[in-house]
Amino acid sequence: MPMFDLASYLPYLVNRVGARLAEAFSGELADLRITLPMWRVMAALCQKAGQRVGELAEVTSIEVSTLSRLLRAMERKELVRRARSLEDARTVLVELTDAGVAMTDRIVPRARLYQDLALSGFTSAESDSLKAMLVRVHGNLGALAAQRSGFERPA
Amino acid sequence: MPMFDLASYLPYLVNRVGARLAEAFSGELADLRITLPMWRVMAALCQKAGQRVGELAEVTSIEVSTLSRLLRAMERKELVRRARSLEDARTVLVELTDAGVAMTDRIVPRARLYQDLALSGFTSAESDSLKAMLVRVHGNLGALAAQRSGFERPA
DNA sequence: TATTGTTATACTCTATAACTATA
DNA sequence: TATAGTTATAGAGTATAACAATA
């Protein structure tokens, strides 16, 4: 029987936390009839107003084809608007509607509160340290993927 | 437009890292015809030999009904074995077959290497600190879920 | 009655590829 | 030709509930 300590295996720890974060916040969004993927899109859009579909896919970690259908559902709920770019007519720019902005405004305080609960007992230095290390790991994995693709990626 | 900084939002950072970890290691497992959920089950089982289905569901963050079908698929591949418990005939104990142990033995070194790549540039103290903080966040979220369920859960 | 696990259903996500339109 | 996005399909996951067996 091979030896392997899950409790010190980073992917396990991250997956576990991610599952709990997702489960808990999904419940938080249920009464607003918003799903977690929708909130991810809204959070990305409220950070930067008009984004291309591919850009959004990268930020939200949602597959482009999945995202395309998700955006259609969000359009039906009048949360977002899609429009062809004037500069490059291949690309589609996505932005929040007024209703989308209003909904995001309702969710953001919950998201903040929720993060505070997840980090309760942490000093602000500890929170910052945790986040910085997650960013470093993300970077390491990105470099890894870039290597495999044969060469460095633009970013 | 609401203000919200994704780059300092913990759920976003965790989701992002989780997505990259999953994507990268899935590729690592592809040539062995093992999926990530299968590996999660195997890793859990190599940590503790015989586990109930519900126990495995908790450890792997996989829904019981999904896990039930996953275990059937793993039985067909002769990686695991299911058997009714003698003590409580309602419960089913899952364990790795010899082939399952052999496969796990092939994967474990890759998993270790893979973790090292994800944590490259980290001192051992930093890695430990990151893991410990993820465990604390997991605990905070568990306490939160327990509260909502009306009262404290056994564990 | 409550619990454990399996099964069924409907819905969503992923992966892949075909397709349209632009560049 | 290459790129951006949409759409279609099949396979797998999730959520829910019904169900069987056992406690």
Side-chain angles (χ1 to χ4, degrees), chain A residues 52-54 64-65 68 82 90-92:
Chain A
R52 291 182 302 103
V53 173
V64 175
S65 70
S68 188
R82 280 189 281 195
R90 288 176 304 185
T91 71
V92 170

Side-chain angles (χ1 to χ4, degrees), chain A residues 1-21 24-25 28 39-40 43-47 49 58-61 101 104-105 108 111-112 114-115 117-122 126 129-131 133-142 144 148 153, chain B residues 1-21 24-25 28 39-40 43-47 49 58-61 101 104-105 108 111-112 114-115 117-122 126 129-131 133-142 144 148 153:
Chain A
M1 191 142 36
M3 256 204 315
F4 191 67
D5 184 27
L6 271 189
S8 67
Y9 185 52
L10 183 72
Y12 168 70
L13 298 173
V14 169
N15 181 58
R16 220 165 140 232
V17 168
R20 283 214 173 156
L21 283 168
F25 202 60
E28 204 66 56
W39 155 241
R40 290 201 182 114
L45 285 176
C46 94
Q47 172 127 93
E58 176 116 358
V59 174
T60 58
S61 304
V101 170
T104 307
D105 271 325
V108 163
R112 292 219 174 89
Y114 174 61
Q115 179 178 222
L117 288 171
L119 290 171
S120 67
F122 281 66
E126 281 174 332
S129 162
L130 171 56
K131 291 172 184 178
M133 288 195 284
L134 288 172
V135 169
R136 284 170 66 193
V137 172
H138 186 254
N140 284 343
L141 293 167
L144 189 61
R148 231 170 264 180
R153 271 196 301 199
Chain B
M1 192 146 34
M3 257 206 313
F4 191 68
D5 184 27
L6 271 188
S8 67
Y9 185 53
L10 183 72
Y12 168 70
L13 298 173
V14 169
N15 182 57
R16 220 166 140 230
V17 168
R20 282 214 173 154
L21 283 167
F25 202 60
E28 204 66 55
W39 155 239
R40 291 203 181 112
L45 284 175
C46 94
Q47 171 126 92
E58 175 115 359
V59 174
T60 58
S61 304
V101 170
T104 306
D105 271 325
V108 164
R112 292 219 175 88
Y114 175 61
Q115 178 177 223
L117 289 171
L119 290 171
S120 68
F122 281 66
E126 281 174 332
S129 162
L130 171 57
K131 291 172 184 176
M133 289 195 282
L134 288 172
V135 170
R136 283 170 66 194
V137 172
H138 186 254
N140 284 343
L141 293 168
L144 189 62
R148 231 170 264 182
R153 272 196 301 199

